[in-house]
Amino acid sequence: MALIAIITFFSFLPVGVYASSSTTYTYALDDNKHYVRTQDAYLPGQTITDLALDKPSDIAIDQNNHLVIADMGNARVIVYDPVSGAITLEITDPQMLGPTGIYVCMEDSVYVSIGDIYVADPTAGYVFHFDSAGNLLEQFGKPTSVMYESLDFQPERVAVDKAGIMYIVSKGTSDGIIQLSNTGEFQGFFASNQVHLTWFEKLQQLVYTDAQLENLGINFTPPVFTSVYIDSTGIVYSSSSGQAVENIKKHNTQGTNMIADMFVSSSKLSDIFVDKQGIIYTSDQGGFIDVYTNDGEFIYTFGTINDVSVAGFFKTLSAIAVDDNGQIWTVDSGNNYLQSFMPTDYANTIYSAIINYNNTNYEEAIRLWQEVLRLNQLSILAHNGIAKNYLQIEEYSLAAEHFKIAGNRDLYSEAFWEIRNIWLQNNLITIIELLAIFGVVAIALKLVNRKYHVLAPVQSFGKKISNIKLINDVMYMSQVAKKPGDSFYYLRRHRKGSYLGGVLILILTFFSYLLFVAGKGFIFQYTAIKDLDLNSIILGFVVLIGLFIICSYLVTSIQDGEGTMGEIFLGFAYSMYPFIIACIASTLISYVSTNNEVFLLNTIFYVGLFYTAALIFISISEIQNYTVGQTIKSILLTILFVIVILLVLSFIQMTIKQVFQFLEEFIKEAIRNVIN
Amino acid sequence: MLSIKKILLVVVMMLTITPLFIDASYVSTGRDTQENPDTISDIPAANYDVAGYAKLTENDNFIFYWQEDRDVLVIHDKRNGYTWKTGLDIDPTYTKAEQSSLCKDLKRQYNNDQITYEEFESGCAVPVDTITGTTSGPLMANSLLYFEYFSKGASDSVYQNNTVYSSYLKSTLYKVTSTLQMLNGDENTYRFTVYAQNLGVDKDLDLNIIVDMTLSEDGFVLNLRNEDLSGTALPYLSSIGLATFLGAVGGIDAVFYTTPKVDTVLGDYDYTEVQRDMVDGYSFVPDGSGALIRFLDNSVSLSKYNAYVYGSDPSQSIQSYRSWAGTYVPFKTASIPVYGMAHGNDQAAYVAYATSGDPYMYIISTPEENIYHYNYTHAKFNYNFLFDKLYTLDGDNPVSSISDTLNVFDIEMHYDFLSGSKETSDYPANYVGMALKYKDYLLEHGMLNEMTSALEDIGIRLDFLMADSESSIVGYVTQVSTTSDQVDYILGDILSMGISNISSGLIGWQKDGVTLGNPSKAEFTSAIGTKRNYEDLIAKYLDLGIDISLYQDYYNINDQQINLYRVAAKHPAGWYTRILTYEDPVSVFYYARPVASVQWLNKQSETFLDMGARSITVDGITTKLITDYTGDVTYRSDAIALYQDAFNRLDDDFVVNLTKPNLYLFPYTDRYLQINMYSTQYLIETDTVPFLQLLLQNTMELYAIYSNFSFYTDSDVLRMIDYNVYPSFVLTYQPSFVLADTNSAEYYTTEYGLYKDLIQSVYERVNGALSNVINAQWENREVVELGVIRNSYSNGVEILINYTDVDKTVDSTVIPAMSYVVLGGE
């Protein structure tokens, strides 16, 4: 029944769109780094079941485009020609007990010849070096170096560079990738993985004893490498399993990862392969094949794990290789067969576009990306790709448009800077002229007005408006900001301002804050408006302010404060002016700024925030008639009190939820008993 | 003066009396005399020959025999001299171990010079089918029928599924007796009774099954009425399988061989396991468009094909009330209850189909690399199932249980035998013959109706995705990708390209779009199109011969679009059955109760009729069936009846467009949308064939899956021509990233501007071929060589298709690479 469930459960999806002969979906990333379905990149090709394989664990492509397979269970390495369907070479050796890693040399040099096959065998504890005819040339066992004495040598995967230097992943060795010279001498660990702990785990590491840490199950050993590969340009790549970041590494000669910031789609990688164009392919234990550009940009992923034998499904995806025709070959060690995947037009067009961009053929690349967009209008990769090309050929508006769709804020910022720059260059003179004229007109108008009072009606109208009580009350906050001391005094004595005015100011504060959070320009607006939880924001705002005022009143009344709750409320509300101005100003400025000016926005916001904080400080001091020290103490106590109340409230909320759940269950049970 | 009371009395009297006059069918009661019971008579012992076979009957095409010990029906086809058996017909007592001990004995005798080497060799060197080495293998291989039942001991936490075979029993786990008797003295009808005892953990349950067998000029029919199932084990009955090994191919023999004495070395014997030569041939399964499973000696173990006809039932096929969407393409449904087997090259074949019990039918094809080493295909019917019963509010710690009530249905399975090639028979012994035979059956019984088209060009299906909803700061906001005016513009543009035979479905026409639009209402918004806009649009294009319909899925629902109370189907566990996806903004989907779906369909169709629509497009209920456990259980067969009734009522008023309909909706389908062009691609499936298309061609218009999504290349266009299927596209006016944050994000490329040219080129290519065969019957499909197909039609036209990338010559006609040639015709 379980099998039937596995086979059939997903068929209940709402009838949607799926392409013809594909059996798994292909996913790309959207602008929020979520997976979205995309046009099929690869379609299942051949499934080779008749090679009598037993737990095959690695695959490589040789110089003749044949497949070289490590058939671990049968202790042999076979070379298979998929075109003729024949095994062209079978390599066995009495010492080779269970080969799991293959590397085929693709270049001639003093140390290696084209077609040489290196085999890593953890059971035997050797790395074997065969020539292209299958003759054993040499074998390398555990290095005799003192540094390596205490470690095991169980080579699982191997990669060899032109100089015959071997990079070996050894089973269970968490120290890193072993580097052996072409004579088998230990040269050190080429690269290693770091342990990545979360903040909480770091805290635990500080606090707990070793025994307790072990109980918790936090892993302090670095994640293991699972595969190593050297591409046609000699760069070493590695894949690891078990960590969320830096699963894929592209090493420089020192072993440091050149693409540390990349988004990695899977965490338990089993193999890595890089084709001649530099496209990176990885296979993971969840049955997914991920494809990246050479810079580590994620392209797409596809695949699945399922017990049912359907083309394109895996039981255990152990290794991956790509032949000269772009066909992906995978090894399924659970099902003992090989599965190939053919690239679609979509995939090939994407690769062409990337290659053209790398070769600076921008026009051609743009044409290809547009073709990709036709096949998939939601492709972030295509929008990014096309935008980068536009950036190179100085079509900044088009670049900005596509970066925006792709959600690429950093590069959008660059394009926008250029657009702004051009605009300024074109219009700066005009602006200065306009400003000059405006200045002259303003002065002239002032002079004329002094003599002839032409602006009298306008001025009197303005005075009328500002004399409206409510507006006057609200505008008083600007006075508060300029002269806080006196203003708070007047507020206290109710000579200026009003409660209604205060409420209006707080409403205004809320909306300006909301504008700041939700309405900034594209470059700085990281959360989409639709993802904002309006309810929480409103609730948070109202509760926090309300609590602060109440707690302040309570604290200050205990500590001989003179102010009433109303006065505290007024003082708090009327301090908001700088904050409001800061929010509105930084929001407006965000529309014309780029990443270079982020400091400006932050400055404006924080200045406003701190100014408001200072005003609140002064308001408490004035209203309660405290000294500085007393004010500080009062504020700290208030904050503490607010935190305590919040904790109590959340505790009550939890328990009330329990009470309601209990009542609900009780009633349901009663009803059920009555009906039955 | 008439008082109210008197009037009421008269009315009540009328109401009570009237039924007596209205009732037309005769219902017999205990006061009447019933018909005679069936007469059962044993087959005379004299009819059995030495080997235990009794000749049952002979007709123009077949001679039928029965093997009493092993319950095997033997069908000798006189047309080709081939013999089919419903079982392997092997002696289960004749095992490798037995032969080995016989050989040992003979060896001793030989080495003691008691017998000659020839005698030793002839007695010992005999192949033995290794299936006899397994306990249940030979039983299963012989049995005409087997059943499975659930049992649970007091200390068990889960139910065990046990299998009992009707054939001769050699172990004493349980007792089975089975007999075949003639019915009513008619040598063409027989009754097969199976009685099993000592079932269950305590060995105290029994089960009685009666199957009626009818022999005819086509083959034979098995009838298993629900009322003929009895016994104390009946509540635990899980499934019944029929004719498991009919046509089975394969087998590994333990071939014994002897070595003579040489000098001091004594004579000896040994055996090797040899794969028996397999008959060339294949099983056909209705996976997607149709798939063939050739008889191969697989070297790796591959899973079998196991499909529930009409798709899995979320209530019965899954134990839990909830399931998760996977990252793979859903398996194709077996939409027709038919399978078959072919032996040889156009020599002998059979097609098996269910005419009753189909909603509960599994079609299972087991490949060779299993413990018995045979390729075999059979049908199994589902009576009871396991599900997770829930006792807690949070749905944790479920208890595995079986249902209190069984699925109630009669089984009727037809096995028709085919012989010969196209030249010698109307129904050749291959999948084409199977399709034509089944098609004729369906035509005869009104399940299919031949259609005629007055048009000279093929149709094209253009669906429009109008709108869908995404999350907003408060609630949802609708994103419109196409308005009704834009539909008008696009259709006008396409008409101007010379394409006139268009039909369109509007997806997401309602307020709130596809996912949040309420299927029980018809609410319009001016942002997408008001009711008036749609009426004008429909009327305008109706005059031009283009029908526009409003698309609705009446099966998949969510709690944001409609209140689930009394409307969502329940799992036997008592909760709403649901599927959890990773989509946004709605991620959990439920299934509508069949009664609710039908109500909505009726209601909305009335509105559509009012609006002047003469066409309707339905999805969801056309391809899925669910058993609803709300209150009184609505079984799958009840759901089918409801759907058929609803569509029957629509048939007169509307041109009915259905998405992937199952067999029971074929009579009402005018256009079949999104027809599968592939199979699920199980690794055991060696070929994909257009069986479904062969079956349906010329009875309704067939439209392919949308060309937008990886189905537009040259080879895809050729596939459409090969499969006699018309192209379809889904379009929007706006670029599709407008819907990127809605549930319709999977429609990743739909903008009309990008597809204009492709629509024209694909249509012209397909029309260029298929316009020549409108109204013609598809008679044959032949693989001339790998990659080259020849389709023949009743009007003399032949279409040759070349899928390869080199030119090919067939009978002096050159077919260019990746292209087609049309020959002949009027």
Side-chain angles (χ1 to χ4, degrees), chain A residues 617 621 626-633:
Chain A
F617 185 92
S621 170
Y626 281 160
T627 62
V628 172
Q630 281 174 317
T631 314
I632 294 172
K633 188 173 158 196

Side-chain angles (χ1 to χ4, degrees), chain B residues 76-97:
Chain B
H76 177 77
D77 193 335
K78 284 154 65 170
R79 302 167 297 185
N80 55 21
Y82 197 71
T83 305
W84 295 90
K85 292 185 182 175
T86 58
L88 212 49
D89 195 16
I90 54 168
D91 182 353
T93 57
Y94 184 47
T95 65
K96 196 172 79 185

Side-chain angles (χ1 to χ4, degrees), chain A residues 27-38 263 297-301 376-384 403-409 528 530-531, chain B residues 582-584 737 739-742 745:
Chain A
Y27 294 90
L29 287 180
D30 72 0
D31 51 356
N32 293 327
K33 296 267 185 294
H34 296 147
Y35 289 108
V36 280
R37 290 244 301 271
T38 181
F263 166 81
E297 203 178 333
F298 179 75
I299 305 179
Y300 35 56
T301 178
N376 180 3
Q377 297 175 288
L378 303 176
S379 169
I380 300 300
L381 186 77
H383 283 291
N384 258 331
F403 279 129
K404 193 167 187 180
I405 297 172
N408 190 337
R409 291 184 166 80
K530 66 178 180 66
D531 290 330
Chain B
Y582 303 103
E583 294 178 27
D584 221 22
F737 55 71
L739 300 173
D741 294 319
T742 68

Side-chain angles (χ1 to χ4, degrees), chain B residues 354-558:
Chain B
T355 50
S356 177
D358 39 309
Y360 306 97
M361 176 183 180
Y362 283 101
I363 298 174
I364 303 171
S365 183
T366 314
E368 183 269 342
E369 195 68 19
N370 54 78
I371 51 173
Y372 308 117
H373 300 293
Y374 279 90
N375 293 284
Y376 55 99
T377 308
H378 73 286
K380 184 171 95 164
F381 295 84
N382 178 40
Y383 287 88
N384 204 338
F385 55 97
L386 285 172
F387 70 96
D388 286 342
K389 204 160 183 182
L390 297 170
Y391 291 98
T392 59
L393 266 187
D394 52 11
D396 285 342
N397 300 318
V399 175
S400 187
S401 315
I402 59 173
S403 173
D404 293 332
T405 52
L406 299 182
N407 294 327
V408 174
F409 57 94
D410 297 333
I411 301 175
E412 184 173 304
M413 276 294 293
H414 290 240
Y415 297 86
D416 292 349
F417 292 87
L418 313 172
S419 143
S421 62
K422 187 77 193 127
E423 286 75 40
T424 57
S425 166
D426 283 336
Y427 307 112
N430 54 34
Y431 70 89
V432 176
M434 293 178 204
L436 295 174
K437 187 89 171 100
Y438 189 47
K439 182 172 185 170
D440 280 346
Y441 176 87
L442 297 175
L443 284 166
E444 242 175 276
H445 289 78
M447 292 300 286
L448 283 177
N449 307 299
E450 269 186 20
M451 71 162 202
T452 41
S453 167
L455 298 166
E456 286 178 357
D457 289 319
I458 63 170
I460 184 169
R461 180 79 186 180
L462 299 172
D463 285 340
F464 292 93
L465 182 56
M466 315 289 283
D468 203 353
S469 297
E470 63 180 41
S471 293
S472 176
I473 196 160
V474 182
Y476 300 99
V477 68
T478 309
Q479 293 292 345
V480 180
S481 51
T482 321
T483 63
S484 53
D485 290 336
Q486 288 162 348
V487 172
D488 187 8
Y489 163 74
I490 294 173
L491 284 175
D493 203 38
I494 294 182
L495 273 172
S496 68
M497 291 197 298
I499 301 173
S500 56
N501 188 0
I502 304 173
S503 63
S504 281
L506 305 182
I507 306 171
W509 51 273
Q510 256 206 84
K511 177 166 160 286
D512 296 330
V514 178
T515 314
L516 299 186
N518 193 326
S520 69
K521 301 185 182 162
E523 292 173 323
F524 302 87
T525 167
S526 54
I528 310 169
T530 61
K531 189 171 178 185
R532 192 57 203 270
N533 291 146
Y534 287 123
E535 284 171 353
D536 292 339
L537 184 69
I538 290 169
K540 174 177 175 187
Y541 283 93
L542 206 58
D543 288 338
L544 295 167
I546 296 176
D547 72 53
I548 298 181
S549 51
L550 300 175
Y551 160 107
Q552 187 66 51
D553 179 338
Y554 296 102
Y555 181 74
N556 297 291
I557 54 174
N558 59 75

Side-chain angles (χ1 to χ4, degrees), chain B residues 94 99 102 106 116-126 258:
Chain B
Y94 184 47
Q99 184 65 15
L102 174 70
L106 288 172
T116 61
Y117 180 69
E118 285 70 35
E119 284 169 323
F120 173 38
E121 199 180 19
S122 64
C124 177
V126 175
T258 55

